DNA sequence: GCCAACGTTGGC
DNA sequence: GCCAACGTTGGC
């Protein structure tokens, strides 16, 4: 199974790369979009690389790296009555939604902002740079991943 | 806080 | 199966 590359969005108010650094691993529940679910359920595998993207942030952008620690498994919060991720259409017997676990890899010393992504040659086709792109789990190519990693590392050396 | 873009729902 | 209405996302 070839290693795959992903971008996963989260609002800083909910979870940040610093939180992931502290926790080591985290579960990624609450995704309620079919396209994103299909990626998590069918295509993510342990060891896949993840760009951690902070949305609705100042600025929004990639703040670090993670890896998939556990492949897609049913989102048990979806059948917990009263939970904020409850969905009556989902049950333990017939799960509708799926989640994965992430492991911390690296925190950038800053943010590779969306503006930077948009201005970087080679990233023109990234899903996140497209107008109106709301998908919270997106595939990226290895080339795109490598470019973002380089941009993130440069952030760190520039600071010192 | 605004609002454009998007996904989902539901009436017909 | 169409499409208007609605709720949500997310950049600015």
């Amino acid at each position: 199974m070839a290693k795959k590359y992903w971008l996963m969005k989260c609002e800083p108010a909910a979870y940040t790369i610093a939180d992931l650094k502290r926790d080591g691993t985290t579960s990624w529940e609450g995704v309620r979009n079919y396209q994103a679910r299909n990626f998590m359920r069918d295509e993510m595998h342990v060891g896949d690389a993840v760009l951690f993207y902070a949305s609705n942030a100042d600025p929004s952008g990639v703040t670090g790296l993670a890896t998939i620690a556990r492949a897609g498994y049913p989102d048990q919060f979806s059948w917990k009555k009263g939970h904020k991720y409850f969905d009556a259409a989902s049950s333990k017997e017939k799960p509708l939604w799926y989640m994965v676990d992430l492991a911390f890899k690296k925190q950038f010393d800053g943010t590779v902002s969306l503006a930077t992504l948009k201005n970087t040659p080679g990233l023109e086709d990234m899903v996140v740079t497209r107008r109106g792109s709301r998908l919270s789990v997106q595939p990226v190519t290895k080339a795109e991943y490598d470019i973002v990693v380089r941009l993130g590392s440069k952030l760190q050396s520039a600071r010192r």
Side-chain angles (χ1 to χ4, degrees):
Chain A
M1 186 67 64
K3 183 170 163 180
K4 289 183 177 165
Y5 299 84
W6 306 96
L7 179 146
M8 297 176 79
K9 289 185 192 172
C10 189
E11 303 203 7
Y15 204 75
T16 66
I17 189 70
D19 293 333
L20 182 55
K21 184 177 187 178
R22 179 197 63 209
D23 296 342
T25 61
T26 192
S27 54
W28 207 260
E29 67 272 11
V31 173
R32 295 293 179 265
N33 170 282
Y34 288 103
Q35 223 183 326
R37 178 204 66 182
N38 293 346
F39 286 135
M40 293 200 296
R41 185 188 60 189
D42 305 332
E43 301 199 42
M44 280 190 176
H45 298 97
V46 173
D48 283 1
V50 176
L51 298 171
F52 192 102
Y53 182 94
S55 60
N56 258 325
D58 188 21
S60 296
V62 179
T63 54
L65 307 174
T67 54
I68 301 297
R70 183 175 173 188
Y73 61 104
D75 183 342
Q76 65 261 27
F77 298 102
S78 66
W79 58 77
K80 286 215 171 87
K81 267 214 173 71
H83 194 277
K84 69 172 166 169
Y85 293 136
F86 175 74
D87 182 345
S90 185
S91 67
K92 195 170 184 176
E93 294 70 32
K94 281 193 167 182
L96 184 60
W97 301 111
Y98 283 73
M99 58 201 273
V100 296
D101 288 354
L102 292 191
F104 174 79
K105 181 170 182 187
K106 184 173 184 178
Q107 178 176 11
F108 292 159
D109 192 10
T111 301
V112 179
S113 69
L114 181 59
T116 301
L117 296 176
K118 285 179 173 170
N119 287 327
T120 302
L123 302 183
E124 298 86 353
D125 293 331
M126 264 183 101
V127 178
V128 75
T129 60
R130 285 185 212 146
R131 203 160 87 99
S133 163
R134 288 170 36 179
L135 195 57
S136 64
V137 176
Q138 319 173 351
V140 302
T141 66
K142 176 171 180 4
E144 290 163 348
Y145 178 85
D146 288 343
I147 291 171
V148 175
V149 169
R150 210 172 313 132
L151 290 172
S153 307
K154 222 187 286 177
L155 275 180
Q156 297 188 316
S157 54
R159 282 272 186 97
R160 293 162 212 272

